[in-house]
Amino acid sequence: MGLGYRILEALDEVNYIGAKTPLFAIALVVCLWTQVLLLHDSQIHEIMRKPWPLMFEAAKQGNLLFLKTIWQTYPDMMFEVDEDHCSIFHVAVTYRHYIIFSFINKKGPLQKDLIVQKTDKEGNNILHLAAKLPPEDSSITKSGGPADQMKVELLWFKEVKRILHPVDAEAPNKKGKTARALFTEEHKDLRDKAEKWTKEIANAGIVAATLIATVAFTAALTVPGGTEEDTGTPHFVQRASFIIFAISDAAALLFSSLSIVRFISAFSSQYEEADFDSDLSPVLNGLESLFLSVVFMMVGFCANMFIVFKDGMLWIPILITAMTAFASIIIYKIYKTASAECALLTSEIRATEIVTSCLFK
């Protein structure tokens, strides 16, 4: 079995899609690389470049473990470039692989400067590549709405800019465009989609919050159990279920009203790039208030059932309360899935950097 066939087999393992690289794949890479190191330098370069650009495929897949296996015994490979003059880290930035990018920060100042100052054929440095939209097969494009993606793109651009010298960060490419100008140009359509997406959600939220506010206001005027004709005092004002109903109805009205105000504020934004960089958007705040108003509305409804069925048949309000609790859990899971996706995306860069510092000291 020839060396070329084994390297091709290793390439299949490099292309393995998943959270972890199988241990047997790394063991295979180590064994093959040990044999490759016995060859002449020119032969090693030929194997790594043609016909299987292993390292660049590993960078596209975000396989840092494979790259570290190569670099530990042949560190010069870290500075290799492809036919477009892109280094491994240029590819990692293009495909938004945070763990490989974080590895740059573990290098010394000299090595880091040699890496980040490289430019491709078009004069793009590493920040220009961060300013471009990620490829379709990049993992960053697979989740989140347009506003979430825009926010993560801004965070990614800032993270890359942080390791560059200010002069390099403002350097133009061969077309005379700085990285900032290229970012604005590349993300114009995404910004427009994010604005439309945000306003659509805010509009739907306003409708839902208005309905809840109307129901809560109407329920407050229609006192369950009626009132005294002389004084207007509710008949069941001393019952615990009535007190719970009153508090829940008031809370539903307040939170739904707050939700409407927050959703309306989403229409007043200019939706510039900096507007997507805030930690808490009006839509996310509006969704939080809307969820709370739904919960309090359900609590008030259950309390009202206990008032209606106060004389016997308590199993009916108990059953209704159980069904309401089940529905609340489902609504909570849907809410958390919708609202936590953006937080997951934007925290991925920070989390990966922490993990990298622990694994690759």
Side-chain angles (χ1 to χ4, degrees), residues 96 98 134-153 190 197 337-338 340-348:
R96 308 303 197 254
Y98 312 126
E136 290 296 327
D137 56 345
S138 177
S139 60
I140 201 172
T141 63
K142 295 180 181 179
S143 58
D148 300 332
Q149 294 176 20
M150 187 68 185
K151 182 175 180 179
V152 177
E153 284 289 283
L190 181 60
W197 180 82
T337 301
E341 194 170 54
C342 180
L344 176 63
L345 289 171
T346 53
S347 64
E348 187 177 2

PDB file of all heavy atoms in Angstrom, residues 96 98 134-153 190 197 337-338 340-348:
ATOM      1  N   ARG A  96     -14.195  31.312   9.249  1.00  0.00           N
ATOM      2  CA  ARG A  96     -14.693  31.638  10.590  1.00  0.00           C
ATOM      3  C   ARG A  96     -14.440  30.529  11.604  1.00  0.00           C
ATOM      4  O   ARG A  96     -15.323  30.151  12.366  1.00  0.00           O
ATOM      5  CB  ARG A  96     -16.197  31.958  10.560  1.00  0.00           C
ATOM      6  CG  ARG A  96     -16.638  33.003   9.546  1.00  0.00           C
ATOM      7  CD  ARG A  96     -15.915  34.325   9.744  1.00  0.00           C
ATOM      8  NE  ARG A  96     -16.579  35.424   9.062  1.00  0.00           N
ATOM      9  CZ  ARG A  96     -16.128  35.996   7.943  1.00  0.00           C
ATOM     10  NH1 ARG A  96     -15.020  35.559   7.378  1.00  0.00           N
ATOM     11  NH2 ARG A  96     -16.777  37.009   7.404  1.00  0.00           N
ATOM     12  N   TYR A  98     -12.863  29.906  14.810  1.00  0.00           N
ATOM     13  CA  TYR A  98     -12.345  30.688  15.922  1.00  0.00           C
ATOM     14  C   TYR A  98     -11.187  29.991  16.619  1.00  0.00           C
ATOM     15  O   TYR A  98     -10.272  30.641  17.115  1.00  0.00           O
ATOM     16  CB  TYR A  98     -13.468  30.944  16.934  1.00  0.00           C
ATOM     17  CG  TYR A  98     -14.739  31.440  16.321  1.00  0.00           C
ATOM     18  CD1 TYR A  98     -15.946  30.786  16.551  1.00  0.00           C
ATOM     19  CD2 TYR A  98     -14.745  32.546  15.490  1.00  0.00           C
ATOM     20  CE1 TYR A  98     -17.124  31.247  15.974  1.00  0.00           C
ATOM     21  CE2 TYR A  98     -15.919  33.001  14.914  1.00  0.00           C
ATOM     22  CZ  TYR A  98     -17.102  32.353  15.160  1.00  0.00           C
ATOM     23  OH  TYR A  98     -18.257  32.800  14.588  1.00  0.00           O
ATOM     24  N   PRO A 134     -18.760  35.139   4.842  1.00  0.00           N
ATOM     25  CA  PRO A 134     -18.201  33.785   4.887  1.00  0.00           C
ATOM     26  C   PRO A 134     -18.735  32.942   3.735  1.00  0.00           C
ATOM     27  O   PRO A 134     -19.832  33.203   3.224  1.00  0.00           O
ATOM     28  CB  PRO A 134     -18.668  33.248   6.242  1.00  0.00           C
ATOM     29  CG  PRO A 134     -19.900  34.023   6.549  1.00  0.00           C
ATOM     30  CD  PRO A 134     -19.685  35.383   5.966  1.00  0.00           C
ATOM     31  N   PRO A 135     -17.987  31.926   3.310  1.00  0.00           N
ATOM     32  CA  PRO A 135     -18.491  31.026   2.258  1.00  0.00           C
ATOM     33  C   PRO A 135     -19.767  30.321   2.692  1.00  0.00           C
ATOM     34  O   PRO A 135     -20.076  30.233   3.876  1.00  0.00           O
ATOM     35  CB  PRO A 135     -17.330  30.021   2.076  1.00  0.00           C
ATOM     36  CG  PRO A 135     -16.120  30.717   2.628  1.00  0.00           C
ATOM     37  CD  PRO A 135     -16.620  31.592   3.732  1.00  0.00           C
ATOM     38  N   GLU A 136     -20.506  29.814   1.718  1.00  0.00           N
ATOM     39  CA  GLU A 136     -21.782  29.164   2.005  1.00  0.00           C
ATOM     40  C   GLU A 136     -21.617  27.941   2.885  1.00  0.00           C
ATOM     41  O   GLU A 136     -22.509  27.589   3.661  1.00  0.00           O
ATOM     42  CB  GLU A 136     -22.476  28.771   0.699  1.00  0.00           C
ATOM     43  CG  GLU A 136     -22.986  29.948  -0.106  1.00  0.00           C
ATOM     44  CD  GLU A 136     -24.072  30.715   0.629  1.00  0.00           C
ATOM     45  OE1 GLU A 136     -24.828  30.078   1.374  1.00  0.00           O
ATOM     46  OE2 GLU A 136     -24.154  31.938   0.463  1.00  0.00           O
ATOM     47  N   ASP A 137     -20.474  27.249   2.755  1.00  0.00           N
ATOM     48  CA  ASP A 137     -20.259  26.035   3.547  1.00  0.00           C
ATOM     49  C   ASP A 137     -19.626  26.323   4.902  1.00  0.00           C
ATOM     50  O   ASP A 137     -19.221  25.401   5.613  1.00  0.00           O
ATOM     51  CB  ASP A 137     -19.388  25.034   2.781  1.00  0.00           C
ATOM     52  CG  ASP A 137     -18.050  25.641   2.346  1.00  0.00           C
ATOM     53  OD1 ASP A 137     -17.922  26.883   2.377  1.00  0.00           O
ATOM     54  OD2 ASP A 137     -17.143  24.873   1.960  1.00  0.00           O
ATOM     55  N   SER A 138     -19.524  27.605   5.273  1.00  0.00           N
ATOM     56  CA  SER A 138     -18.987  27.946   6.584  1.00  0.00           C
ATOM     57  C   SER A 138     -20.037  27.694   7.648  1.00  0.00           C
ATOM     58  O   SER A 138     -21.226  27.936   7.443  1.00  0.00           O
ATOM     59  CB  SER A 138     -18.560  29.415   6.615  1.00  0.00           C
ATOM     60  OG  SER A 138     -18.112  29.790   7.891  1.00  0.00           O
ATOM     61  N   SER A 139     -19.604  27.222   8.815  1.00  0.00           N
ATOM     62  CA  SER A 139     -20.532  26.851   9.883  1.00  0.00           C
ATOM     63  C   SER A 139     -21.284  28.051  10.440  1.00  0.00           C
ATOM     64  O   SER A 139     -22.366  27.906  10.999  1.00  0.00           O
ATOM     65  CB  SER A 139     -19.764  26.163  11.025  1.00  0.00           C
ATOM     66  OG  SER A 139     -18.765  27.030  11.559  1.00  0.00           O
ATOM     67  N   ILE A 140     -20.742  29.240  10.266  1.00  0.00           N
ATOM     68  CA  ILE A 140     -21.369  30.423  10.859  1.00  0.00           C
ATOM     69  C   ILE A 140     -22.659  30.808  10.144  1.00  0.00           C
ATOM     70  O   ILE A 140     -23.490  31.521  10.669  1.00  0.00           O
ATOM     71  CB  ILE A 140     -20.382  31.616  10.845  1.00  0.00           C
ATOM     72  CG1 ILE A 140     -20.818  32.642  11.885  1.00  0.00           C
ATOM     73  CG2 ILE A 140     -20.320  32.255   9.487  1.00  0.00           C
ATOM     74  CD1 ILE A 140     -19.813  33.738  12.083  1.00  0.00           C
ATOM     75  N   THR A 141     -22.848  30.308   8.919  1.00  0.00           N
ATOM     76  CA  THR A 141     -24.033  30.668   8.154  1.00  0.00           C
ATOM     77  C   THR A 141     -25.188  29.693   8.366  1.00  0.00           C
ATOM     78  O   THR A 141     -26.230  29.834   7.753  1.00  0.00           O
ATOM     79  CB  THR A 141     -23.697  30.708   6.650  1.00  0.00           C
ATOM     80  OG1 THR A 141     -23.300  29.388   6.223  1.00  0.00           O
ATOM     81  CG2 THR A 141     -22.589  31.689   6.371  1.00  0.00           C
ATOM     82  N   LYS A 142     -25.024  28.717   9.231  1.00  0.00           N
ATOM     83  CA  LYS A 142     -26.017  27.651   9.354  1.00  0.00           C
ATOM     84  C   LYS A 142     -27.062  27.910  10.420  1.00  0.00           C
ATOM     85  O   LYS A 142     -28.015  27.152  10.535  1.00  0.00           O
ATOM     86  CB  LYS A 142     -25.312  26.323   9.643  1.00  0.00           C
ATOM     87  CG  LYS A 142     -24.420  25.855   8.493  1.00  0.00           C
ATOM     88  CD  LYS A 142     -23.742  24.543   8.839  1.00  0.00           C
ATOM     89  CE  LYS A 142     -22.835  24.078   7.700  1.00  0.00           C
ATOM     90  NZ  LYS A 142     -22.148  22.817   8.017  1.00  0.00           N
ATOM     91  N   SER A 143     -26.885  28.908  11.229  1.00  0.00           N
ATOM     92  CA  SER A 143     -27.842  29.129  12.304  1.00  0.00           C
ATOM     93  C   SER A 143     -28.011  30.621  12.550  1.00  0.00           C
ATOM     94  O   SER A 143     -27.154  31.431  12.220  1.00  0.00           O
ATOM     95  CB  SER A 143     -27.371  28.437  13.593  1.00  0.00           C
ATOM     96  OG  SER A 143     -26.101  28.900  13.970  1.00  0.00           O
ATOM     97  N   GLY A 144     -29.154  30.956  13.162  1.00  0.00           N
ATOM     98  CA  GLY A 144     -29.420  32.341  13.485  1.00  0.00           C
ATOM     99  C   GLY A 144     -30.085  33.079  12.342  1.00  0.00           C
ATOM    100  O   GLY A 144     -29.960  32.734  11.171  1.00  0.00           O
ATOM    101  N   GLY A 145     -30.821  34.129  12.689  1.00  0.00           N
ATOM    102  CA  GLY A 145     -31.443  34.963  11.689  1.00  0.00           C
ATOM    103  C   GLY A 145     -30.463  35.988  11.137  1.00  0.00           C
ATOM    104  O   GLY A 145     -29.299  36.057  11.567  1.00  0.00           O
ATOM    105  N   PRO A 146     -30.902  36.811  10.173  1.00  0.00           N
ATOM    106  CA  PRO A 146     -30.003  37.823   9.591  1.00  0.00           C
ATOM    107  C   PRO A 146     -29.423  38.782  10.619  1.00  0.00           C
ATOM    108  O   PRO A 146     -28.250  39.148  10.539  1.00  0.00           O
ATOM    109  CB  PRO A 146     -30.905  38.546   8.583  1.00  0.00           C
ATOM    110  CG  PRO A 146     -31.959  37.556   8.244  1.00  0.00           C
ATOM    111  CD  PRO A 146     -32.201  36.768   9.497  1.00  0.00           C
ATOM    112  N   ALA A 147     -30.238  39.205  11.594  1.00  0.00           N
ATOM    113  CA  ALA A 147     -29.728  40.115  12.615  1.00  0.00           C
ATOM    114  C   ALA A 147     -28.673  39.436  13.477  1.00  0.00           C
ATOM    115  O   ALA A 147     -27.673  40.055  13.863  1.00  0.00           O
ATOM    116  CB  ALA A 147     -30.882  40.617  13.492  1.00  0.00           C
ATOM    117  N   ASP A 148     -28.878  38.158  13.797  1.00  0.00           N
ATOM    118  CA  ASP A 148     -27.885  37.415  14.561  1.00  0.00           C
ATOM    119  C   ASP A 148     -26.578  37.280  13.790  1.00  0.00           C
ATOM    120  O   ASP A 148     -25.490  37.457  14.329  1.00  0.00           O
ATOM    121  CB  ASP A 148     -28.418  36.021  14.907  1.00  0.00           C
ATOM    122  CG  ASP A 148     -29.685  36.079  15.727  1.00  0.00           C
ATOM    123  OD1 ASP A 148     -29.856  37.073  16.461  1.00  0.00           O
ATOM    124  OD2 ASP A 148     -30.501  35.144  15.638  1.00  0.00           O
ATOM    125  N   GLN A 149     -26.695  36.964  12.502  1.00  0.00           N
ATOM    126  CA  GLN A 149     -25.503  36.814  11.667  1.00  0.00           C
ATOM    127  C   GLN A 149     -24.749  38.130  11.546  1.00  0.00           C
ATOM    128  O   GLN A 149     -23.514  38.162  11.574  1.00  0.00           O
ATOM    129  CB  GLN A 149     -25.903  36.303  10.290  1.00  0.00           C
ATOM    130  CG  GLN A 149     -26.479  34.892  10.299  1.00  0.00           C
ATOM    131  CD  GLN A 149     -26.956  34.451   8.933  1.00  0.00           C
ATOM    132  OE1 GLN A 149     -26.556  35.003   7.913  1.00  0.00           O
ATOM    133  NE2 GLN A 149     -27.820  33.459   8.900  1.00  0.00           N
ATOM    134  N   MET A 150     -25.491  39.230  11.411  1.00  0.00           N
ATOM    135  CA  MET A 150     -24.850  40.544  11.310  1.00  0.00           C
ATOM    136  C   MET A 150     -24.101  40.872  12.592  1.00  0.00           C
ATOM    137  O   MET A 150     -22.978  41.406  12.556  1.00  0.00           O
ATOM    138  CB  MET A 150     -25.922  41.603  11.031  1.00  0.00           C
ATOM    139  CG  MET A 150     -25.365  42.980  10.731  1.00  0.00           C
ATOM    140  SD  MET A 150     -24.484  43.036   9.158  1.00  0.00           S
ATOM    141  CE  MET A 150     -23.842  44.711   9.192  1.00  0.00           C
ATOM    142  N   LYS A 151     -24.692  40.535  13.717  1.00  0.00           N
ATOM    143  CA  LYS A 151     -24.045  40.803  14.995  1.00  0.00           C
ATOM    144  C   LYS A 151     -22.767  39.998  15.146  1.00  0.00           C
ATOM    145  O   LYS A 151     -21.731  40.514  15.592  1.00  0.00           O
ATOM    146  CB  LYS A 151     -25.011  40.480  16.135  1.00  0.00           C
ATOM    147  CG  LYS A 151     -24.448  40.763  17.513  1.00  0.00           C
ATOM    148  CD  LYS A 151     -25.489  40.530  18.581  1.00  0.00           C
ATOM    149  CE  LYS A 151     -24.920  40.825  19.973  1.00  0.00           C
ATOM    150  NZ  LYS A 151     -25.925  40.631  21.037  1.00  0.00           N
ATOM    151  N   VAL A 152     -22.805  38.716  14.766  1.00  0.00           N
ATOM    152  CA  VAL A 152     -21.624  37.869  14.874  1.00  0.00           C
ATOM    153  C   VAL A 152     -20.541  38.319  13.896  1.00  0.00           C
ATOM    154  O   VAL A 152     -19.349  38.282  14.212  1.00  0.00           O
ATOM    155  CB  VAL A 152     -22.002  36.394  14.640  1.00  0.00           C
ATOM    156  CG1 VAL A 152     -20.771  35.506  14.667  1.00  0.00           C
ATOM    157  CG2 VAL A 152     -22.985  35.937  15.706  1.00  0.00           C
ATOM    158  N   GLU A 153     -20.953  38.748  12.711  1.00  0.00           N
ATOM    159  CA  GLU A 153     -19.980  39.240  11.739  1.00  0.00           C
ATOM    160  C   GLU A 153     -19.239  40.468  12.282  1.00  0.00           C
ATOM    161  O   GLU A 153     -18.023  40.609  12.107  1.00  0.00           O
ATOM    162  CB  GLU A 153     -20.685  39.591  10.430  1.00  0.00           C
ATOM    163  CG  GLU A 153     -21.063  38.403   9.586  1.00  0.00           C
ATOM    164  CD  GLU A 153     -19.854  37.730   8.966  1.00  0.00           C
ATOM    165  OE1 GLU A 153     -19.322  38.253   7.982  1.00  0.00           O
ATOM    166  OE2 GLU A 153     -19.433  36.686   9.489  1.00  0.00           O
ATOM    167  N   LEU A 190     -26.917  41.923   3.725  1.00  0.00           N
ATOM    168  CA  LEU A 190     -27.220  41.276   4.996  1.00  0.00           C
ATOM    169  C   LEU A 190     -27.812  42.274   5.983  1.00  0.00           C
ATOM    170  O   LEU A 190     -28.739  41.941   6.738  1.00  0.00           O
ATOM    171  CB  LEU A 190     -25.949  40.656   5.583  1.00  0.00           C
ATOM    172  CG  LEU A 190     -26.115  39.926   6.919  1.00  0.00           C
ATOM    173  CD1 LEU A 190     -27.102  38.775   6.792  1.00  0.00           C
ATOM    174  CD2 LEU A 190     -24.763  39.412   7.425  1.00  0.00           C
ATOM    175  N   TRP A 197     -35.999  41.658   8.647  1.00  0.00           N
ATOM    176  CA  TRP A 197     -36.304  40.535   9.548  1.00  0.00           C
ATOM    177  C   TRP A 197     -36.686  41.039  10.934  1.00  0.00           C
ATOM    178  O   TRP A 197     -37.654  40.558  11.538  1.00  0.00           O
ATOM    179  CB  TRP A 197     -35.088  39.633   9.606  1.00  0.00           C
ATOM    180  CG  TRP A 197     -35.207  38.430  10.486  1.00  0.00           C
ATOM    181  CD1 TRP A 197     -35.802  37.241  10.186  1.00  0.00           C
ATOM    182  CD2 TRP A 197     -34.684  38.276  11.813  1.00  0.00           C
ATOM    183  NE1 TRP A 197     -35.684  36.364  11.235  1.00  0.00           N
ATOM    184  CE2 TRP A 197     -35.006  36.974  12.249  1.00  0.00           C
ATOM    185  CE3 TRP A 197     -33.974  39.119  12.665  1.00  0.00           C
ATOM    186  CZ2 TRP A 197     -34.649  36.497  13.499  1.00  0.00           C
ATOM    187  CZ3 TRP A 197     -33.616  38.646  13.917  1.00  0.00           C
ATOM    188  CH2 TRP A 197     -33.953  37.351  14.327  1.00  0.00           C
ATOM    189  N   THR A 337     -35.316  28.816  22.794  1.00  0.00           N
ATOM    190  CA  THR A 337     -34.669  28.440  21.541  1.00  0.00           C
ATOM    191  C   THR A 337     -34.508  29.646  20.626  1.00  0.00           C
ATOM    192  O   THR A 337     -33.464  29.837  20.002  1.00  0.00           O
ATOM    193  CB  THR A 337     -35.486  27.360  20.826  1.00  0.00           C
ATOM    194  OG1 THR A 337     -35.592  26.218  21.674  1.00  0.00           O
ATOM    195  CG2 THR A 337     -34.817  26.950  19.525  1.00  0.00           C
ATOM    196  N   ALA A 338     -35.549  30.482  20.576  1.00  0.00           N
ATOM    197  CA  ALA A 338     -35.506  31.645  19.695  1.00  0.00           C
ATOM    198  C   ALA A 338     -34.568  32.728  20.199  1.00  0.00           C
ATOM    199  O   ALA A 338     -33.826  33.338  19.438  1.00  0.00           O
ATOM    200  CB  ALA A 338     -36.913  32.215  19.522  1.00  0.00           C
ATOM    201  N   ALA A 340     -32.106  32.424  22.619  1.00  0.00           N
ATOM    202  CA  ALA A 340     -30.757  32.030  23.019  1.00  0.00           C
ATOM    203  C   ALA A 340     -29.835  31.775  21.845  1.00  0.00           C
ATOM    204  O   ALA A 340     -28.629  31.702  22.013  1.00  0.00           O
ATOM    205  CB  ALA A 340     -30.814  30.773  23.892  1.00  0.00           C
ATOM    206  N   GLU A 341     -30.393  31.656  20.630  1.00  0.00           N
ATOM    207  CA  GLU A 341     -29.577  31.343  19.479  1.00  0.00           C
ATOM    208  C   GLU A 341     -28.558  32.442  19.195  1.00  0.00           C
ATOM    209  O   GLU A 341     -27.391  32.181  18.913  1.00  0.00           O
ATOM    210  CB  GLU A 341     -30.462  31.111  18.256  1.00  0.00           C
ATOM    211  CG  GLU A 341     -29.711  30.462  17.113  1.00  0.00           C
ATOM    212  CD  GLU A 341     -30.641  30.021  15.994  1.00  0.00           C
ATOM    213  OE1 GLU A 341     -31.417  30.868  15.501  1.00  0.00           O
ATOM    214  OE2 GLU A 341     -30.599  28.845  15.628  1.00  0.00           O
ATOM    215  N   CYS A 342     -29.005  33.679  19.274  1.00  0.00           N
ATOM    216  CA  CYS A 342     -28.091  34.803  19.063  1.00  0.00           C
ATOM    217  C   CYS A 342     -27.018  34.844  20.136  1.00  0.00           C
ATOM    218  O   CYS A 342     -25.848  35.079  19.855  1.00  0.00           O
ATOM    219  CB  CYS A 342     -28.864  36.120  19.034  1.00  0.00           C
ATOM    220  SG  CYS A 342     -27.809  37.554  18.790  1.00  0.00           S
ATOM    221  N   ALA A 343     -27.419  34.625  21.400  1.00  0.00           N
ATOM    222  CA  ALA A 343     -26.443  34.626  22.491  1.00  0.00           C
ATOM    223  C   ALA A 343     -25.426  33.513  22.307  1.00  0.00           C
ATOM    224  O   ALA A 343     -24.241  33.670  22.603  1.00  0.00           O
ATOM    225  CB  ALA A 343     -27.159  34.463  23.830  1.00  0.00           C
ATOM    226  N   LEU A 344     -25.878  32.362  21.786  1.00  0.00           N
ATOM    227  CA  LEU A 344     -24.957  31.253  21.552  1.00  0.00           C
ATOM    228  C   LEU A 344     -23.952  31.597  20.481  1.00  0.00           C
ATOM    229  O   LEU A 344     -22.756  31.333  20.602  1.00  0.00           O
ATOM    230  CB  LEU A 344     -25.752  30.011  21.142  1.00  0.00           C
ATOM    231  CG  LEU A 344     -24.941  28.768  20.772  1.00  0.00           C
ATOM    232  CD1 LEU A 344     -24.152  28.283  21.981  1.00  0.00           C
ATOM    233  CD2 LEU A 344     -25.843  27.678  20.247  1.00  0.00           C
ATOM    234  N   LEU A 345     -24.427  32.233  19.401  1.00  0.00           N
ATOM    235  CA  LEU A 345     -23.532  32.594  18.316  1.00  0.00           C
ATOM    236  C   LEU A 345     -22.507  33.640  18.741  1.00  0.00           C
ATOM    237  O   LEU A 345     -21.323  33.532  18.448  1.00  0.00           O
ATOM    238  CB  LEU A 345     -24.349  33.130  17.140  1.00  0.00           C
ATOM    239  CG  LEU A 345     -25.177  32.105  16.363  1.00  0.00           C
ATOM    240  CD1 LEU A 345     -26.093  32.821  15.389  1.00  0.00           C
ATOM    241  CD2 LEU A 345     -24.295  31.131  15.634  1.00  0.00           C
ATOM    242  N   THR A 346     -22.963  34.665  19.444  1.00  0.00           N
ATOM    243  CA  THR A 346     -22.062  35.755  19.802  1.00  0.00           C
ATOM    244  C   THR A 346     -21.086  35.379  20.908  1.00  0.00           C
ATOM    245  O   THR A 346     -20.038  36.004  21.050  1.00  0.00           O
ATOM    246  CB  THR A 346     -22.866  36.976  20.261  1.00  0.00           C
ATOM    247  OG1 THR A 346     -23.773  36.587  21.290  1.00  0.00           O
ATOM    248  CG2 THR A 346     -23.654  37.562  19.113  1.00  0.00           C
ATOM    249  N   SER A 347     -21.411  34.369  21.713  1.00  0.00           N
ATOM    250  CA  SER A 347     -20.508  33.941  22.776  1.00  0.00           C
ATOM    251  C   SER A 347     -19.533  32.869  22.313  1.00  0.00           C
ATOM    252  O   SER A 347     -18.617  32.508  23.040  1.00  0.00           O
ATOM    253  CB  SER A 347     -21.308  33.404  23.971  1.00  0.00           C
ATOM    254  OG  SER A 347     -22.026  32.250  23.602  1.00  0.00           O
ATOM    255  N   GLU A 348     -19.721  32.361  21.085  1.00  0.00           N
ATOM    256  CA  GLU A 348     -18.885  31.260  20.621  1.00  0.00           C
ATOM    257  C   GLU A 348     -17.424  31.680  20.496  1.00  0.00           C
ATOM    258  O   GLU A 348     -16.509  30.924  20.796  1.00  0.00           O
ATOM    259  CB  GLU A 348     -19.411  30.752  19.283  1.00  0.00           C
ATOM    260  CG  GLU A 348     -18.706  29.493  18.811  1.00  0.00           C
ATOM    261  CD  GLU A 348     -19.296  28.968  17.509  1.00  0.00           C
ATOM    262  OE1 GLU A 348     -20.224  29.604  16.974  1.00  0.00           O
ATOM    263  OE2 GLU A 348     -18.826  27.933  17.047  1.00  0.00           O
TER     264      GLU A 348
END
